[in-house]
Every structure is written in structure tokens, then in C-alpha cells.
Amino acid sequence: MSGSALSLAFSEIGIGDRPAVGGKGASLGELLRAGISVPQGFVITTMAFERFIAAIDPEGSIRRAIEGLAAGDLLAISKVAEGIRERIVQAPVSDDLARAIVQGYAELCSGMAEDQPVAIRSSATSEDSSEASFAGLQDTYLWIRGGAGVLNAVYDCWASLYSAESVSYRLRFKLPEEGLAMGVVVQRMVNSRCSGVMFTRSPLTGDRSVIVIETSWGLGSAIVSGIVTPDKYVISKVTGEVVKRAVSHKTVQHVPDFAAGGVREIAVPDDRRDEPCLSEEQLGELARIGKLVEAHYGCPQDIEWAFAPDVAGGESLFLLQSRPETIWANKEAKPAATPKTTAFAHVFDLFGGAKT
């Protein structure tokens, strides 16, 4: 990997490149290295972001403004964050940076129809780590076409690092602004027949012996936005048996908006509303891939996936992202009790301590 690159293909990066491409970009490259089917793409590197920020803020006023905020002062956070975002989206991009973004997109479209639709996804350096997950706090833009559209969406992704929600999260968890940077993933869109999320441990109980799959028709943004109640399956990692299943009534789905870009909401045909999105074979394939990805990373994973048409004219499973599960991992990392300085203090506390 070139240390001075403004953009890097997924094939050039892995999990160790998080400082250069952010958490999401590093994970996608790592999945590709592990032989997992991932829609092709590239990452606008953190160096590009840092160069852009240095040009518009050479004195470091943005970082100082955020560091001066109180975690609980939501009104001040919102006001400061809005001002920073306006500075970013209104600033010009240097010719070499704009060229790197547009050229990367052109290479991604090479050999295919012009203006291939892509997803533009945030990839912050502190995102999707084992300590913290920024899922949903920074922006994603779906079904973007053309070099100018990609360039504008990259701007918007950079600006979303300074959304009120993202800034508030960093302040609350005392995450440093120093060294924080944003990579941006540019990835071919897949027109999902169905999509969803998969947890390689139960998100409700923390049980590591099961895989939990949630799915609905169309693009996964319908599940993320909460407009549908997805089908839900619990699968035993030991036997492969589906131990629980709940097929929901699904009335709407997200599909590509080919005319305007982005996605639109449409009704699910009547004959599919109560039908399961996945066959038994597809559930088995998902569970197999989930166990493989968990073994590769060495910890439970939160995975986004889609079944979509492939270049051979059939349908394939694509992984769109995998991040460490953090809720139960963080609970398990906390000590069961605060250590005592002496044995006497431990016994004293055990029997109730002093009464006042």
C-alpha cells in the first residue's frame, strides 16, 4: 500500500490499514482477502481528508472548537457542528484530489456501462472497532451515479463526521479529536432481492452458540431506517438447525430510484408480503459465512449482507460490511467488581460496610 495514495482499491488494503482507510474500508479489504464475496470498490483515504481539512483549517480551529464543548450541552454541540459542516461542503477541493476521486470512480466503471451506481459510505478511523461502533452516526449515500455525484457525496460524507450525533458520541466516550480522520468507501451497488443483518452471537442475550439473522425484501436501508419488521431467524452454530423463526408481514421495501438517484419506498406485492425472504439453503449459506467471518476476525461480528444478481446471471450472497459486536463484548470486558486495596477492605465490603 502506498503511503501517499489518495485512493486505494479494496484489493490493496486489509484490516491493518485502518489508519489509512478507516474502519469500514479496512474491513471490506480484509473480507476480500479472506475470499468473501464483496462488491468491488475503492476508498478515498484519510490522507485525502487530512489534506482537505488542513487546506480549509490550517490553524486547527475545528478540533479546538469540539474539544471546548461539554458532552451534555447538546444545543452548543448542534450549533458548532452545523458551522463545521457548512465550512466543509462549501470549500473547494484541490484539482489533484478531485482527479483522484473521479478517476477512481471511472476505473471502477471500466468495462461496464458508464456511470455505474455506487454507494458512498463513511469510514472513520475510530469507526467499527472493537471498542466503539459509529454505525448510523455518519452518512451513507446509495445509488449515486457520475463523477460529479460521487465527488459531492464524498464532501457530504466528510461533513457527516461533524454531525451533532457523531460529535456528541465522541465527547460522551471521550474519544480524542487529535488523529481523527475520515476515509470514504466508494462501492458498486448491488440491486438486492433481499438483504439484512446477521449477528454471530445473540444481540439480546449474548449467547455465542447461535447466529441471528434479520431480513426483508429489497435494499437493507429499509431495515436500518426501521420502516419494516424483518423476518428473524435464530440458528444453532453447533447443529445448523433453525431453532427459532418468525416470518413477518412485510408491506414496503426500498428499491433503487434509477431516475433521481438514491432509493425510494414501494409497496411489496401482495403475494410476497407474508412469504419468507430466504430459503433453507440460503439460511445455511449465511450461517456458514457468518461462522467463517467470525473465525477470521476471532470475535463475534455484526454483518450486513445481500442476495443480489451476479455477473453470471444468477444470484449470489454479497457481504457489505462486517464489524465487531461491541455491546456484549464491552459488558464482558468490564470487571465484575472493583478491586480492593487490602483483604480487610474486601471482607468489610462483602459484609455490608459501615452503616450511616
Side-chain angles (χ1 to χ4, degrees):
M1 186 193 74
S2 171
S4 59
L6 298 178
S7 70
L8 291 165
F10 290 170
S11 59
E12 298 178 274
I13 56 180
I15 200 65
D17 297 312
R18 180 188 295 272
V21 296
K24 189 177 279 90
S27 176
L28 287 165
E30 186 69 18
L31 288 172
L32 195 62
R33 287 184 176 184
I36 305 297
S37 183
V38 172
Q40 289 295 324
F42 66 99
V43 184
I44 307 301
T45 64
T46 56
M47 173 173 286
F49 172 83
E50 289 166 344
R51 184 182 295 184
F52 173 77
I53 292 295
I56 68 170
D57 184 31
E59 304 301 322
S61 62
I62 289 175
R63 188 184 75 243
R64 289 196 304 274
I66 293 176
E67 290 173 343
L69 293 167
D73 192 344
L74 299 183
L75 185 61
I77 290 172
S78 181
K79 183 177 180 180
V80 169
E82 182 179 3
I84 295 171
R85 292 197 308 275
E86 287 180 359
R87 287 179 66 181
I88 291 174
V89 299
Q90 293 174 5
V93 171
S94 65
D95 290 343
D96 64 333
L97 181 49
R99 189 164 47 250
I101 294 171
V102 174
Q103 182 178 337
Y105 173 69
E107 290 174 357
L108 188 60
C109 296
S110 179
M112 306 181 72
E114 292 184 3
D115 292 349
Q116 281 292 302
V118 292
I120 313 294
R121 311 173 71 192
S122 63
S123 183
T125 50
S126 52
E127 184 174 327
D128 297 344
S129 68
S130 57
E131 292 79 27
S133 173
F134 281 73
L137 294 182
Q138 280 107 219
D139 288 348
T140 289
Y141 299 91
L142 303 179
W143 233 261
I144 303 298
R145 293 176 183 269
V150 170
L151 190 58
N152 288 334
V154 169
Y155 263 82
D156 290 335
C157 263
W158 283 342
S160 72
L161 187 61
Y162 300 100
S163 69
E165 295 81 5
S166 186
V167 170
S168 177
Y169 183 95
R170 297 199 298 272
L171 289 168
R172 189 165 70 251
F173 287 94
K174 297 181 172 59
L175 300 175
E177 293 297 306
E178 182 72 34
L180 181 69
M182 169 78 82
V184 178
V185 168
V186 182
Q187 185 176 28
R188 284 181 187 164
M189 286 293 306
V190 292
N191 192 0
S192 313
R193 176 187 62 82
C194 71
S195 53
V197 292
M198 171 167 54
F199 307 93
T200 65
R201 77 186 303 172
S202 169
L204 294 179
T205 67
D207 184 358
R208 293 193 60 170
S209 71
V210 299
I211 288 173
V212 177
I213 295 170
E214 296 181 357
T215 178
S216 193
W217 299 117
L219 302 176
S221 52
I223 296 178
V224 173
S225 63
I227 67 166
V228 297
T229 300
D231 297 349
K232 184 173 180 179
Y233 302 89
V234 180
I235 301 174
S236 168
K237 286 181 181 175
V238 178
T239 66
E241 178 187 4
V242 179
V243 295
K244 289 184 182 179
R245 71 177 71 218
V247 177
S248 68
H249 182 65
K250 303 170 286 294
T251 60
V252 295
Q253 62 181 318
H254 279 178
V255 298
D257 189 330
F258 294 108
V263 301
R264 61 191 178 97
E265 183 180 311
I266 65 169
V268 173
D270 290 344
D271 61 349
R272 298 174 70 193
R273 293 187 172 188
D274 296 304
E275 288 296 308
C277 298
L278 297 169
S279 67
E280 296 300 310
E281 292 76 15
Q282 288 168 331
L283 285 169
E285 183 179 2
L286 274 166
R288 180 184 65 81
I289 292 294
K291 290 194 293 183
L292 180 66
V293 173
E294 181 182 76
H296 181 79
Y297 282 112
C299 64
Q301 297 289 299
D302 171 356
I303 299 168
E304 299 172 21
W305 56 268
F307 276 101
D310 55 32
V311 293
E315 183 177 82
S316 293
L317 171 62
F318 297 91
L319 293 202
L320 309 177
Q321 174 59 13
S322 186
R323 61 177 67 89
E325 183 280 332
T326 56
I327 295 176
W328 287 98
N330 287 338
K331 287 181 180 179
E332 291 170 350
K334 293 178 180 178
T338 303
K340 303 301 178 183
T341 55
T342 67
F344 175 78
H346 174 75
V347 174
F348 189 68
D349 183 69
L350 184 64
F351 288 97
K355 304 298 182 182
T356 59

